[in-house]
Amino acid sequence: PIDFLYDIYEWANENLTPGFSVRQGKQLNTDDYGTLGLSWKTSWQAGDILDRLQRYMVLVTDQGSIQLQEENSLSNLFLDRSPIRKGIEMANEVSFVMLTGVLQEVTGQKILPSHVNFQHSNSFSSEALAGFFECPVKFGATQNILQFRTESLQTRTIKADKSIHRFLVDRLEEEKKGIFTESDQMLKDI
């Protein structure tokens, strides 16, 4: 259950050295995300990864949503997950670290954000986050935003394969439909 994960993150915050969010996010990779992770590996460009996450985030969590917007040569990934407890604050940090790491994993390039915003106040991991992202990290912002230069998201991935990727996207659509079909059936059964 997601609340148990938040409990673990809160325990880590209280009992481990600063920087847990960065350590946790760095150890997550495409292999941890099943079909979605495979689709990331075979995407054509780095930006496709963020697009796939926007479309299929429901396959990995029902906590929050993301929206990708391009404006003035910048791409902003908005994470809508209110930090109503410390574990969620940390999950938001972990998510941004993981996404940055995945972009680097699938491209073999050091793709870094140009700016990072978190809604929550200063973090126990703030120094580690600034060191990892190598850009300004703002706390107490109005929205959670991971911002990249759009040009950097046009970097080609290492294993780009349009036919395999198309196959995987079809599987993701099936998985997504299955979630809602199972949910509808459960409601009918109730």
Side-chain angles (χ1 to χ4, degrees):
I2 193 69
D3 284 334
F4 183 62
L5 177 66
Y6 296 152
D7 290 343
I8 291 171
Y9 281 2
E10 290 165 359
W11 179 92
N13 186 62
E14 293 170 10
N15 295 285
L16 301 178
T17 58
F20 173 79
S21 297
V22 172
R23 293 191 301 274
Q24 174 66 4
K26 284 172 66 174
Q27 62 94 27
L28 296 169
N29 60 51
T30 55
D31 294 335
D32 296 316
Y33 295 91
T35 308
L36 182 58
L38 289 172
S39 80
W40 291 341
K41 286 182 184 181
T42 59
S43 292
W44 194 251
Q45 296 179 339
D48 296 336
I49 289 144
L50 303 179
D51 177 65
R52 297 304 165 270
L53 182 59
Q54 179 178 255
R55 288 172 53 194
Y56 302 110
M57 185 172 169
V58 68
L59 297 176
V60 293
T61 183
D62 62 353
Q63 300 292 303
S65 63
I66 64 165
Q67 183 178 13
L68 183 61
Q69 292 180 350
E70 291 182 31
E71 181 180 315
N72 300 329
S73 73
L74 295 173
S75 293
N76 293 304
L77 182 75
F78 297 90
L79 173 60
D80 183 19
R81 185 164 49 198
S82 296
I84 57 174
R85 63 182 280 194
K86 189 58 146 174
I88 296 174
E89 293 176 9
M90 296 177 70
N92 291 347
E93 294 172 3
V94 168
S95 295
F96 282 179
V97 170
M98 177 276 297
L99 285 170
T100 302
V102 164
L103 292 173
Q104 294 176 13
E105 174 191 349
V106 301
T107 62
Q109 303 291 318
K110 190 172 183 176
I111 296 176
L112 292 170
S114 55
H115 198 89
V116 179
N117 288 356
F118 291 107
Q119 288 180 299
H120 59 276
S121 60
N122 205 13
S123 167
F124 194 52
S125 298
S126 59
E127 286 183 33
L129 289 163
F132 176 79
F133 291 125
E134 297 181 27
C135 72
V137 178
K138 179 181 177 184
F139 294 93
T142 57
Q143 295 178 297
N144 299 306
I145 304 171
L146 184 61
Q147 181 183 78
F148 293 94
R149 286 183 0 265
T150 301
E151 177 185 353
S152 67
L153 296 179
Q154 295 168 348
T155 304
R156 185 124 176 247
T157 64
I158 297 169
K159 298 179 181 180
D161 186 309
K162 287 186 178 184
S163 60
I164 292 174
H165 183 73
R166 181 74 242 148
F167 172 79
L168 292 168
V169 169
D170 290 345
R171 298 300 71 77
L172 288 168
E173 282 297 326
E174 288 175 8
E175 289 179 29
K176 190 174 176 182
K177 287 178 186 171
I179 286 175
F180 296 115
T181 301
E182 290 172 23
S183 173
D184 291 345
Q185 185 59 47
M186 187 170 76
L187 288 172
K188 289 176 185 174
D189 290 348
I190 290 172

